[in-house]
Amino acid sequence: MSRRVVRQSKFRHVFGQAAKADQSYEDIRVSKVTWDSSFCAVNPKFLAIIVEAGGGGAFIVLPLAKTGRVDKNYPLVTGHTAPVLDIDWCPHNDNVIASASDDTTVMVWQIPDYTPVRNITEPIITLEGHSKRVGILSWHPTARNVLLSAGGDNVIIIWNVGTGEVLLSLDDLHPDVIHSVCWNSNGSLLATTCKDKTLRIIDPRKGQVVAERARPHEGARPLRAVFTADGKLLSTGFSRMSERQLALWDPNNFEEPVALQEMDTSNGVLLPFYDPDSSIVYLCGKGDSSIRYFEITDEPPFVHYLNTFSSKEPQRGMGFMPKRGLEVSKCEIARFYKLHERKCEPIVMTVPRKSDLFQDDLYPDTPGPEPALEADEWLSGQDAEPVLISLRDGYVPPKHRELRVTKRNILDVRPPSGPRRSQSASDASLSQQHTLETLLEEIKALREQVQAQEQRITALENMLCELVDGTD
């Protein structure tokens, strides 16, 4: 009798668990806009959620540690004149977030480390170039301050946020509304899906479609696509019978999928979240109450079903934490932020291990917050892989960096190398010393003013006493 051989994989037992009630974020009025975006963005510092707002569009930004009930008067980020459709944190600065709106604009915001007293209404910069709603945002994975936006005008614009200029405008590659856009690992190519049911791979700097596949899924509902670490493509869509599918494609041979998985019959669009470090793709359907996950490997059948995390309530949207925001001591390999109607609930994915030591096989070096290229270097044709960091000692976020938009320089200047670094430190100390001196002068002036007022009050009291004595 033949015995079935069990496939060896360290991710065969990925265990999903919802956070306890006191670790959730309660009383948040999640947006009801009918748009297939995740409505949530998260990084190692902050959680951002698109919320209902009267008279325009808004989103709320909470420090990760601020769990529990959120005050109904908690400050929002407001500035758009129509609903916000998408938000995305900058991968190279955890205090910078971009928002896209139905009002045709993209705004880039600086979020302070402290909790603001009132609503944040002034963006660093407003990017205006689309003629219809902007529903998709994506920062470049390796180049500093390069942001992509895609709108209902079927146009993709790539911006230099540091100068507010349009680097590239791809306006004749899509005949219909764009459903999703994804960069590859070094940001040299884009994968897009469109209402015309075509999956395209685009070289943005040449403005050309490198490869395309018409109707990768036969169904009428929207498609999604993401690049894998080795340059293949994962697409989610629907069969002709409305069954949801996951397909793996080799761009060099777009005729047939490398692998095809059929799941269930449902209307919810599957949002794929891909982790290049573990080669696991997590599928979160809007309106579903489950997260399915698959491992992508080099051996047949290439796409291996791992497990399904199920809960009782459906999800309105989903945030996906970057690897550097996870707790490596607990063998956490992914963390989701599931949006309900009135709250956000963290869901932790772990690989149970008995040892307390750092698990090298679970945590290879992962992309860090340092960009590999400047915007003009990328535009000139250079490519660079992400700058990797080790998670062995846990990730320590860099100090908050203030960002300024200029018409020549990019958003925040790359730190100088070599001995010039000490010069910038001395400049900073001089600036601090100047600020201190200014404060001391102001205190001295106030003290003199108080003393003068005290003398004046004493003199007036003496005069009053003399007048009283005179009348007696």
Side-chain angles (χ1 to χ4, degrees), residues 283-304:
L283 303 181
C284 308
K286 279 211 142 185
D288 287 9
S289 54
S290 62
I291 302 172
R292 291 179 181 81
Y293 36 106
F294 300 80
E295 186 178 0
I296 315 300
T297 64
D298 293 332
E299 68 233 11
F302 304 107
V303 176
H304 307 269

Side-chain angles (χ1 to χ4, degrees), residues 219-263:
R221 302 276 295 145
L223 312 171
R224 285 283 188 280
V226 292
F227 275 104
T228 64
D230 60 357
K232 291 188 175 68
L233 274 173
L234 282 165
S235 67
T236 60
F238 295 79
S239 71
R240 192 173 280 143
M241 305 301 290
S242 292
E243 282 186 310
R244 295 196 289 192
Q245 297 176 323
L246 170 68
L248 179 67
W249 302 89
D250 182 351
N252 298 317
N253 181 13
F254 250 157
E255 290 304 310
E256 291 294 326
V258 176
L260 183 68
Q261 282 265 0
E262 294 202 336
M263 280 163 279

Side-chain angles (χ1 to χ4, degrees), residues 377-399:
E377 292 174 338
W378 176 79
L379 186 62
S380 68
Q382 293 185 45
D383 290 321
E385 295 302 317
V387 179
L388 302 181
I389 57 169
S390 170
L391 297 178
R392 179 173 290 276
D393 301 317
Y395 168 69
V396 180
K399 288 185 178 176

Side-chain angles (χ1 to χ4, degrees), residues 2 12 23 26 33 58 85 88 109 114 123 128 131 141 147 163 173 194 196 248 283 301 323 335 395 398:
S2 65
R12 219 156 47 82
Q23 294 299 306
E26 306 273 353
V33 174
L85 301 179
D88 196 25
W109 308 84
Y114 59 86
E128 297 175 328
S131 59
L147 175 66
T163 60
L173 300 180
C194 180
D196 70 348
L248 179 67
L283 303 181
K323 214 47 170 270
R335 191 190 310 155
Y395 168 69

Side-chain angles (χ1 to χ4, degrees), residues 180-184 189-193 199-202 225-227 233:
S180 74
V181 180
C182 174
W183 297 96
N184 67 347
L189 296 172
L190 295 171
T192 69
T193 61
L199 171 59
R200 294 175 176 84
I201 297 177
I202 295 169
V226 292
F227 275 104
L233 274 173

